[in-house]
Amino acid sequence: MKPVRTRFAPSPTGYLHIGGARTALFSWAYARRHGGTFILRVEDTDVARSTPEAVQAILDGMRWLGLEHDEGPFYQMQRMDRYKEVIQQMLAAGSAYHCYTTREELDALRAEQEARKEKPRYDGRWRPEAGKTLPMPPADVPPVVRFKNPKDGVVAWDDQVKGRIEFANAELDDLIIARADGTPTYNFCVCVDDWDMGITHVIRGDDHVNNTPRQINILQALGADIPQYAHLSMILGDDGAKLSKRHGAVSVMQYDEDGFLTEAVINYLARLGWSHGDDEVFSRQQFVEWFDLDHITASAAQFNTEKLLWLNQHYMKQMPVADLTAKVRSRLAARGVATDNGPDLEKAVALYVDRSNTLNVLADAVEVFYVDITPAPELLALHLADEARPALADFAAGIAEVPWEAPAIGALIKETVAKHGLKMPKLAMPLRVILTGQAQTPSVDAVIALIGRQKVLEKLAAQKS
């Protein structure tokens, strides 16, 4: 058994999205599971669409996910001399040839084939064959280089996810491996890279299934070992449609901006098309120990935003409160909210974490303790009934003397509503709105204790005026 070598090979024409992140995770985990090597390769030959910003977005996303690579990143544009060297070797060996067919001739050929209801394909007019006489190459047409694909038999592989897959070679025409300007094409570069880098397992999306037979044939022509292939099925949105920006196909870094924890996203990605029994929540280390290709489902995975939010809340509640507080503090600081003029932020975070499913929601909730809040008049009108105003005044008077701890404050609230013949919400709700601007908070006595006596007295006094 060769040492396992996997690769993640994104094209830097956009951000690292959820589908790419899952591919990267599975490739990384397989290498880690088997003590192998994980390689990062940037396939940047699409010069018109590849950008340095997109490269950086991919690197940032991998770093945030904690998917560290062992080798790379390698850039295809820096390997052009190697590709051209291999093309010359293939031309010399007869496994590739120059083709002088013009674009106009190819368009005419396609039109004729479509008129005959045939599959459009190159007809091999410049393909060298025994006993075949080729025309004189035109001096004014720069040739492309085509791979001499086998004509007979089948190309097949046992896909680690989809099972046995076969393609008839007769269905595969002679692929262009170098354009007229000499630049190599995607399918060819991938083969040389996988060969040179000793890739043993190619884990990628099933949109590459149709590329695989061509790549296998090229690798065989090069005398290279053929990797094991595992093609992951697509990810669908919550509604069962193909995943798009409206249901999650955004940059991985957007999840960071939206307040998701790396641990939650990794756990969620792991369950998109793979399972370990009924286990829903597991650590990164457990995932690596359990991960295999046999338990990847061949059917499409479905993205579920509610499940991701549930997982994120779970990991927030499990995180040491000091670590969680540091993350919230940095988010508040980014908003320009200082937390030194108010209650201890760690206590505020501990009070609200059970009610928050993202860091942003948690930051929104505790921000009210560090900024001046004016309750919305309509919210106050909704919750502060005239019958409750005398009780509110009594409570304001009592709060000045009560021991400053939640149980004593809670007892004062109960005494006040009992004295005025009210139900608890008649006093608790206006207190929440006046003190936090929110109708929903944790236990109101705990909130009051956190705010502090002086600030509570000031807010209640301001409401009387």
Side-chain angles (χ1 to χ4, degrees), residues 141-155:
V141 178
V144 300
V145 178
R146 288 185 182 271
F147 170 61
K148 195 175 182 181
N149 195 80
K151 282 189 171 182
D152 303 318
V154 299
V155 54

Side-chain angles (χ1 to χ4, degrees), residues 16 40 42 54-64 69 73 75:
L16 177 61
L40 178 60
V42 179
V55 171
Q56 191 59 51
I58 290 168
L59 297 177
D60 290 345
M62 294 288 285
R63 189 177 301 110
W64 184 72
H69 51 273
Y75 297 89

Side-chain angles (χ1 to χ4, degrees), residues 74-90:
F74 299 106
Y75 297 89
Q76 286 185 329
M77 287 302 294
Q78 297 175 6
R79 289 174 46 79
M80 285 294 145
D81 289 346
R82 171 59 177 158
Y83 303 139
K84 292 175 181 179
E85 175 189 24
V86 175
I87 286 172
Q88 291 305 313
Q89 292 171 356
M90 294 178 72

Side-chain angles (χ1 to χ4, degrees), residues 72-299:
F74 299 106
Y75 297 89
Q76 286 185 329
M77 287 302 294
Q78 297 175 6
R79 289 174 46 79
M80 285 294 145
D81 289 346
R82 171 59 177 158
Y83 303 139
K84 292 175 181 179
E85 175 189 24
V86 175
I87 286 172
Q88 291 305 313
Q89 292 171 356
M90 294 178 72
L91 286 168
S95 57
Y97 61 92
H98 286 113
C99 172
Y100 295 86
T101 311
T102 65
R103 169 56 57 191
E104 292 74 21
E105 289 173 331
L106 286 173
D107 289 343
L109 175 62
R110 175 182 289 270
E112 292 170 7
Q113 291 169 333
E114 289 177 344
R116 296 193 297 266
K117 304 287 195 253
E118 296 174 358
K119 178 182 177 181
R121 53 185 291 128
Y122 172 64
D123 61 1
R125 61 184 65 178
W126 286 94
R127 178 183 171 118
E129 303 281 9
K132 178 180 178 180
T133 302
L134 297 175
M136 181 69 66
D140 59 343
V141 178
V144 300
V145 178
R146 288 185 182 271
F147 170 61
K148 195 175 182 181
N149 195 80
K151 282 189 171 182
D152 303 318
V154 299
V155 54
W157 72 97
D158 293 313
D159 196 275
Q160 300 298 295
V161 174
K162 297 181 175 296
R164 185 75 172 175
I165 299 178
E166 297 185 357
F167 283 79
N169 276 318
E171 294 297 312
L172 306 173
D173 57 4
D174 290 354
L175 182 73
I176 294 175
I177 60 175
R179 303 177 183 89
D181 64 1
T183 59
T185 58
Y186 165 77
N187 275 297
F188 175 74
C189 294
V190 167
C191 293
V192 176
D193 289 343
D194 285 347
W195 180 31
D196 285 354
M197 296 174 191
I199 302 302
T200 61
H201 294 77
V202 174
I203 302 170
R204 59 187 179 185
D206 65 2
D207 53 326
H208 288 283
V209 165
N210 288 335
N211 292 327
T212 302
R214 301 179 183 279
Q215 293 173 9
I216 289 176
N217 280 339
I218 292 173
L219 286 166
Q220 287 177 331
L222 293 172
D225 291 336
I226 310 302
Q228 295 286 317
Y229 291 93
H231 289 92
L232 311 176
S233 295
M234 72 170 61
I235 302 173
L236 305 178
D238 300 77
D239 55 2
K242 185 178 179 181
L243 194 66
S244 66
K245 288 183 181 179
R246 65 189 173 86
H247 36 30
V250 296
S251 166
V252 164
M253 297 309 296
Q254 185 66 48
Y255 289 92
D256 178 32
E257 293 176 22
D258 290 346
F260 288 89
L261 298 174
T262 299
E263 296 84 352
V265 174
I266 287 290
N267 192 157
Y268 185 73
L269 285 175
R271 291 285 287 115
L272 277 178
W274 174 87
S275 63
H276 183 267
D278 294 328
D279 293 294
E280 292 282 354
V281 181
F282 41 81
S283 69
R284 183 187 298 252
Q285 184 57 40
Q286 284 177 312
F287 174 55
V288 168
E289 292 172 1
W290 294 340
F291 184 72
D292 57 19
L293 301 178
D294 294 339
H295 289 86
I296 298 175
T297 178
S299 57

